[in-house]
Amino acid sequence: MAFDIGMLLGNIMNRLSTSDHQSVVSINLFVALICACIVVGHLLEENRWMNESITALVIGLCTGVVILLISGGKNSRILVFSEDLFFIYLLPPIIFNAGFQVKKKSFFRNFSTIMLFGAVGTLISFIIISFGAIGIFKKMNIGDLDIGDYLAIGAIFSATDSVCTLQVLSQDDTPLLYSLVFGEGVVNDATSVVLFNAVQNFDLSHINTSKALQLVGNFLYLFASSTILGVVAGLLSAYIIKKLYFGRHSTDREVAIMILMAYLSYLLAELFYLSAILTVFFCGIVMSHYTWHNVTESSRVTTKHAFATLSFIAEIFIFLYVGMDALDIEKWKFVSDSPGISVQVSSILLGLVMVGRAAFVFPLSFLSNLTKKSPEEKIGFNKQIVIWWAGLMRGAVSVALAYNQFTRGGHTQLRGNAIMITSTITVVLFSTGVFGLMTKPLIRFMLPSPKHLTRMISSEPTTPKSFIVPLLDSAQDSEADLGQHIPRPNSLRMLLSTPSHTVHRYWRKFDNAFMRPVFGGRGFVPFVPGSPTEPSDH
């Protein structure tokens, strides 16, 4: 008996060691591929037609083909997709960095328009894509999908990825357009995830007016409570660092507490079933406004580049995996008997995305222009075309939501779910590859810039995240910003005509009088070791 137990334990240990070795080999290969994506992306950077996202997709596809051939057509990837891997480890640095590096002055100056596009526009797109999918796919033989699946499709394909457009837009040449595309992209991602969570948390078997109102109420609750949690977490980190002077002994502690507080806000949102993506985004904004100015200079440089680097690697990881998973036999075997249906579904989804995008960009741009008096602040038709185009690409968030809805542990056993996964991957590949490559000529055609400026921009070395490197420079949010020269509103009409400027003016006064004395921020001088202004211990 003892011998049998010993043999059994030995077999178990051998299997575990073999499994561990395979995991190590897979991780080694994946890290090597990420390095290859960075190197190849850098070499292809000069003409600015390619970026790391497209490069990672292409390398992922090529790697998938090689693995498929080696495995005899059984497998095309070296890792299995995990929703936890994405939502707990990969998504937080991407979204937090977007909030942390956002150009706050431009973001909040155009806040009303950004929220129109990012929140209201995403809702319009969600409704059109959802009802379009219900009306069309129910007539097609694509498998069993319920009302929750169709609404999830609307949320999945409402999430945009505007990295390619941002890479070829100039902050100096078109500051308004750049701010709108960047801000709308981030708010859009948050709104899509909030909608997706709201759809998942409701019993949608019997839809009525009460259920619809409850769904809207839940959406508003998630949006507000998630934002508040992110703001509170950011303010708490600023207060702790300001009062305890971590830089007195170690800048590592400052960096560590910033990273961990940001991550804690994300995990708390997950714990309380809120929108973690919205929480960590606003936590990033608050941290960049208060906490970042309370740390030492070396910590500022470290955090700025550390957050950008983590976000950059996470995005490459996701696109590399999508490229490999695009050839997964398990999913494609369900549609191999009717490839025409898969092509039709992908084409219909692309068409719904384009229609849903156009349905809010042009009407909401018209409404936004009604409140603008200055021609520079209005969104011209050519800019509207670029904004519409910027939101046609689908990326990491869409893929993660699709896997969350239609797979279990990265695997699919139902025909309808397999068709939706393969269609999502097809839309992501097509929109990122084709639309991404056409972005540069479209913007050059729609928004021609002076020749000297074009040469200067095209000669700058850039990466998908390079547009955020200078955004935290001390000159970006100077005190002499827009609010200083805006006359005090003396009537309701003036308040309505310049809402962003008016709110910004009052916020600046409140911030200077109450918030900065408590939470620090610009103007606060952190302790520097050896400085004669060492804080007293009494």
Side-chain angles (χ1 to χ4, degrees):
M1 183 67 179
F3 175 78
D4 292 338
I5 294 176
M7 289 289 291
L8 180 62
L9 290 175
N11 291 334
I12 292 174
M13 292 303 296
N14 287 333
R15 290 179 181 177
L16 287 176
S17 61
T18 303
S19 176
D20 290 342
H21 180 71
Q22 291 176 348
S23 298
V24 171
V25 171
S26 299
I27 294 173
N28 270 277
L29 288 173
F30 216 94
V31 172
L33 289 172
I34 292 176
C35 293
C37 291
I38 295 174
V39 172
V40 175
H42 171 73
L43 295 175
L44 296 175
E45 194 88 23
E46 296 299 326
N47 58 17
R48 299 187 65 175
W49 281 75
M50 298 285 286
N51 58 38
E52 272 79 2
S53 299
I54 299 176
T55 303
L57 279 174
V58 174
I59 291 179
L61 281 169
C62 296
T63 306
V65 171
V66 173
I67 297 174
L68 200 64
L69 294 175
I70 294 175
S71 65
K74 296 180 180 179
N75 191 22
S76 66
R77 61 194 174 198
I78 53 181
L79 291 175
V80 177
F81 183 86
S82 168
E83 293 88 351
D84 290 339
L85 173 66
F86 180 83
F87 283 102
I88 302 300
Y89 301 108
L90 297 179
L91 190 60
I94 295 174
I95 303 302
F96 174 80
N97 185 63
F100 189 75
Q101 307 278 23
V102 71
K103 202 170 184 178
K104 296 184 296 296
K105 186 170 67 176
S106 297
F107 180 83
F108 287 104
R109 181 178 61 188
N110 301 302
F111 187 74
S112 58
T113 305
I114 288 173
M115 292 305 295
L116 263 181
F117 287 156
V120 179
T122 304
L123 281 171
I124 295 173
S125 178
F126 164 76
I127 292 171
I128 290 177
I129 294 174
S130 297
F131 282 92
I134 292 173
I136 298 175
F137 292 157
K138 278 192 172 182
K139 299 177 181 178
M140 301 172 62
N141 182 26
I142 63 172
D144 296 327
L145 296 177
D146 56 30
I147 185 66
D149 291 327
Y150 289 117
L151 294 179
I153 291 171
I156 290 167
F157 288 97
S158 295
T160 66
D161 186 348
S162 53
V163 169
C164 293
T165 306
L166 287 170
Q167 189 184 4
V168 293
L169 280 177
S170 169
Q171 295 181 80
D172 300 321
D173 194 22
T174 55
L176 171 64
L177 185 60
Y178 189 94
S179 175
L180 291 178
V181 171
F182 176 73
E184 186 246 337
V186 176
V187 177
N188 165 274
D189 284 346
T191 306
S192 299
V193 175
V194 170
L195 280 170
F196 185 81
N197 291 336
V199 167
Q200 282 196 322
N201 294 334
F202 270 86
D203 178 18
L204 301 170
S205 56
H206 301 287
I207 290 291
N208 51 41
T209 305
S210 176
K211 280 281 181 68
L213 292 176
Q214 193 177 2
L215 185 63
V216 173
N218 187 59
F219 169 78
L220 295 176
Y221 163 76
L222 285 174
F223 209 98
S225 55
S226 302
T227 301
I228 292 172
L229 178 59
V231 171
V232 169
L235 291 177
L236 182 61
S237 71
Y239 186 79
I240 291 174
I241 289 179
K242 180 176 181 290
K243 290 298 181 183
L244 298 183
Y245 296 98
F246 283 91
R248 174 188 325 194
H249 302 296
S250 171
T251 57
D252 295 339
R253 292 174 182 170
E254 290 183 317
V255 177
I257 199 68
M258 286 185 70
I259 293 175
L260 292 175
M261 286 291 289
Y263 192 50
L264 180 62
S265 71
Y266 186 90
L267 295 178
L268 284 174
E270 288 285 343
L271 180 65
F272 295 120
Y273 301 101
L274 302 176
S275 172
I277 189 174
L278 202 60
T279 295
V280 79
F281 172 66
F282 278 97
C283 180
I285 290 180
V286 174
M287 276 193 174
S288 70
H289 188 66
Y290 296 109
T291 313
W292 190 76
H293 295 284
N294 295 345
V295 300
T296 57
E297 186 63 31
S298 58
S299 295
R300 295 179 189 177
V301 175
T302 301
T303 52
K304 179 175 68 173
H305 293 289
F307 293 143
T309 302
L310 290 173
S311 172
F312 178 58
I313 293 174
E315 283 198 350
I316 293 179
F317 186 100
I318 293 167
F319 280 102
L320 185 62
Y321 181 86
V322 170
M324 283 189 288
D325 200 53
L327 300 175
D328 183 35
I329 296 300
E330 180 188 73
K331 299 177 180 65
W332 287 104
K333 69 180 180 181
F334 288 97
V335 298
S336 59
D337 57 335
S338 54
I341 288 191
S342 180
V343 173
Q344 290 178 28
V345 171
S346 301
S347 302
I348 290 169
L349 288 172
L350 270 174
L352 289 174
V353 166
M354 298 175 76
V355 173
R357 181 82 183 163
F360 75 83
V361 168
F362 299 105
L364 294 184
S365 296
F366 174 76
L367 292 177
S368 177
N369 288 339
L370 293 178
T371 64
K372 311 292 184 182
K373 290 185 177 181
S374 172
E376 290 78 14
E377 294 181 345
K378 292 188 176 183
I379 309 172
F381 182 73
N382 287 0
K383 292 181 179 179
Q384 294 177 31
I385 294 291
V386 173
I387 293 173
W388 170 74
W389 184 268
L392 294 181
M393 284 164 276
R394 296 296 176 265
V397 176
S398 294
V399 171
L401 294 180
Y403 273 97
N404 185 276
Q405 179 70 23
F406 297 110
T407 69
R408 296 295 177 268
H411 298 284
T412 306
Q413 298 298 332
L414 299 176
R415 184 172 185 273
N417 290 356
I419 289 178
M420 294 316 305
I421 289 292
T422 55
S423 298
T424 302
I425 292 175
T426 302
V427 170
V428 170
L429 290 174
F430 184 86
S431 62
T432 303
V434 178
F435 293 164
L437 289 174
M438 293 173 61
T439 296
K440 183 180 178 181
L442 175 73
I443 292 178
R444 280 187 170 180
F445 176 74
M446 301 303 296
L447 303 172
S449 57
K451 291 184 179 180
H452 69 279
L453 185 59
T454 303
R455 287 197 301 269
M456 180 182 70
I457 294 172
S458 62
S459 64
E460 289 180 352
T462 57
T463 68
K465 289 298 176 189
S466 66
F467 61 87
I468 57 181
V469 172
L471 298 189
L472 289 176
D473 185 74
S474 58
Q476 293 298 334
D477 286 314
S478 62
E479 300 299 327
D481 54 21
L482 290 174
Q484 184 175 354
H485 304 289
I486 299 299
R488 182 174 181 177
N490 51 21
S491 67
L492 180 61
R493 181 178 180 181
M494 181 177 290
L495 176 66
L496 294 176
S497 63
T498 58
S500 298
H501 299 299
T502 304
V503 171
H504 183 273
R505 181 179 186 276
Y506 283 116
W507 161 250
R508 178 64 71 188
K509 292 177 65 177
F510 175 78
D511 191 31
N512 291 334
F514 299 102
M515 299 297 289
R516 290 185 179 182
V518 176
F519 299 104
R522 186 175 300 283
F524 172 71
V525 181
F527 167 71
V528 179
S531 170
T533 58
E534 179 176 354
S536 172
D537 292 332
H538 300 291

